[in-house]
Amino acid sequence: MSGRARRGAGLALSVLLLAWLAGCTAAGERGHAAPVSVGSKNFTEAVILGDIARDAIRQAGVAAEHRRQLGGTRILWRALQQGQIDVYAEYTGTLAQELLAMPGADAQALRAALARQGLAMTGSLGFQNTYALGMPRVRAEALGIRRVSDLAAHPRVRRDYALLSRALLAGASGQLRNRATTAGNLLQRTRCPYFYDSHQPCNKRLPGSGCAAIGGFSRQLAVIGASADCIATHPSDMAVAMRALDARIHTIRADGQAREIGIEAFYRAPGQTPHLETVLERGELITAVSLPRPVAGAHVYHKVRDRASYAFALVSVGAIVQRDGSARVALGGVAHKPWRVEAAERASDARQIAARLLDGADPSEHNAFKLPLVERALTAILAEARA
């Protein structure tokens, strides 16, 4: 651990860098400062911000390193407090409610609380937590849809496909939703930290290089459907709902031929070729996603994660529960694709459903907790649906 002075995490990286660089530059002029250590959480948004921080510091003539995807909020917070990193980007809501236990506190109060710990906070970059989904303009105008929240709240979606509505509202962050499309959501890459760390071997990123996640820290990774070459999970919430609803994916090949693929057949098992994630051919594009006739029953979506927002699922469950207790069930956070086993749906007891869904599971010591977590989530869903 370095003995140099540590600064606190800012809530907006561009302003944070201005505050941090003043200290770094002064240290650099003394000629004895170690490289500035920038940390980031284990999702794309945080990694991008960390890269921006590192590059900006270097452009100021100061040595800097980016320690990518160290973990979740608590891991980054402890690393900052203990001096293992110098800076990372944090959200004001997370800082106030989770880290400092000061709900509703303004910036002045947060800064004062941080100062007592020898930390500092900068001003906000000004991100807006708005939600958007790419749609053809004519269709969006006809339906009155401008944001993902509009889609989730659309009367027909809420009435006939409530599971999809709930999954949409549970997914992603506001910044990412502003750029999101339905096809992009289905095709998003894994959030495995080893996939994003170019210094680690990853068969998905570089076929044949190995899988650092196997034998590494695998808390967020797959417990079923994986292979000896890859244990990554698919991160989409929307895809879980679409799997339970039996969505159909419409595409057009490079030669102009159209085809339709059931979502159950859309994702490839990792096998020995985890870099091939879907059955799409080179040059093939998704043009639409369709849903079959509405399915009656109670539509429920539960997402279990490390915090209430801005986090991917450890386990998610999308279900349509009938009056007799039977249910369509799809899981997220446990496999390379939204996981559904139709044979499990003949059971009505949460324990039996979970056992059949996860038959053949091969968890690691880090993620074995996901198996009982699935059963508990199913128990809660069935109880909610029957209430």
Side-chain angles (χ1 to χ4, degrees):
M1 182 185 302
S2 171
R4 50 195 170 108
R6 302 287 173 171
R7 301 291 199 280
L11 308 192
L13 196 56
S14 63
V15 181
L16 175 151
L17 287 175
L18 293 174
W20 173 247
L21 286 177
C24 289
T25 303
E29 290 170 352
R30 294 194 296 270
H32 63 269
V36 176
S37 180
V38 180
S40 65
K41 300 183 186 182
N42 53 356
F43 56 93
T44 307
E45 188 175 291
V47 173
I48 292 171
L49 292 176
D51 282 344
I52 293 172
R54 178 203 58 206
D55 293 346
I57 293 170
R58 288 176 178 175
Q59 288 174 7
V62 178
E65 62 179 5
H66 179 194
R67 300 180 64 185
R68 295 182 169 197
Q69 296 187 307
L70 295 178
T73 296
R74 289 287 176 180
I75 292 174
L76 270 293
W77 177 245
R78 286 195 294 269
L80 185 71
Q81 290 176 312
Q82 295 170 7
Q84 296 170 342
I85 60 173
D86 295 313
V87 64
Y88 81 100
E90 187 55 274
Y91 302 102
T92 51
T94 300
L95 183 63
Q97 298 191 47
E98 181 176 345
L99 298 177
L100 297 177
M102 298 172 60
D106 60 18
Q108 183 177 356
L110 293 176
R111 287 193 176 91
L114 288 168
R116 290 192 287 271
Q117 300 188 39
L119 303 175
M121 181 185 87
T122 64
S124 172
L125 180 62
F127 286 139
Q128 294 186 16
N129 190 29
T130 52
Y131 308 101
L133 181 69
M135 291 184 68
R137 181 183 298 276
V138 172
R139 185 63 173 160
E141 290 178 350
L143 295 175
I145 293 174
R146 295 175 58 85
R147 303 178 179 88
V148 165
S149 53
D150 295 331
L151 179 62
H154 193 276
R156 186 178 178 191
V157 175
R158 292 183 62 188
R159 182 190 69 224
D160 296 337
Y161 305 103
L163 175 57
L164 177 59
S165 174
R166 295 178 181 185
L168 284 168
L169 292 177
S173 69
Q175 292 90 334
L176 293 178
R177 289 185 202 170
N178 278 337
R179 307 293 295 177
T181 65
T182 301
N185 188 298
L186 293 174
L187 293 173
Q188 63 184 296
R189 308 299 300 274
T190 179
R191 294 309 190 266
C192 175
Y194 299 98
F195 172 71
Y196 283 98
D197 187 348
S198 59
H199 299 291
Q200 299 285 347
C202 174
N203 289 318
K204 189 179 285 290
R205 177 171 21 85
L206 183 63
S209 63
C211 177
I214 297 176
F217 185 68
S218 55
R219 181 171 182 269
Q220 293 184 307
L221 302 179
V223 296
I224 195 167
S227 73
D229 290 286
C230 184
I231 58 172
T233 54
H234 193 268
S236 173
D237 291 286
M238 184 186 74
V240 176
M242 288 192 170
R243 179 65 181 92
L245 291 166
D246 289 328
R248 307 289 294 177
I249 299 168
H250 302 260
T251 71
I252 186 167
R253 292 186 170 108
D255 62 3
Q257 295 296 311
R259 66 167 170 160
E260 184 177 323
I261 309 163
I263 194 170
E264 74 283 355
F266 185 69
Y267 297 101
R268 293 175 182 262
Q272 297 180 334
T273 56
H275 60 292
L276 301 176
E277 299 176 344
T278 73
V279 297
L280 294 180
E281 300 171 358
R282 185 176 181 84
E284 188 172 10
L285 298 175
I286 295 176
T287 58
V289 178
S290 61
L291 297 174
R293 294 177 64 85
V295 180
H299 289 225
V300 187
Y301 188 78
H302 276 199
K303 182 176 183 179
V304 183
R305 44 190 166 177
D306 286 326
R307 54 183 177 170
S309 64
Y310 294 97
F312 294 99
L314 294 171
V315 164
S316 63
V317 182
I320 305 174
V321 185
Q322 305 303 319
R323 290 184 178 180
D324 63 1
S326 62
R328 290 191 183 194
V329 178
L331 303 179
V334 299
H336 61 285
K337 63 178 182 178
W339 191 257
R340 183 181 174 194
V341 178
E342 281 81 348
E345 297 168 5
R346 289 192 286 270
S348 59
D349 175 78
R351 179 173 296 180
Q352 293 179 358
I353 296 173
R356 295 179 187 181
L357 276 170
L358 299 174
D359 184 32
D362 184 23
S364 71
E365 61 177 321
H366 300 130
N367 61 21
F369 71 91
K370 290 191 177 187
L371 275 61
L373 188 58
V374 167
E375 181 182 330
R376 291 169 188 164
L378 278 168
T379 299
I381 278 181
L382 293 177
E384 177 181 334
R386 292 165 180 164

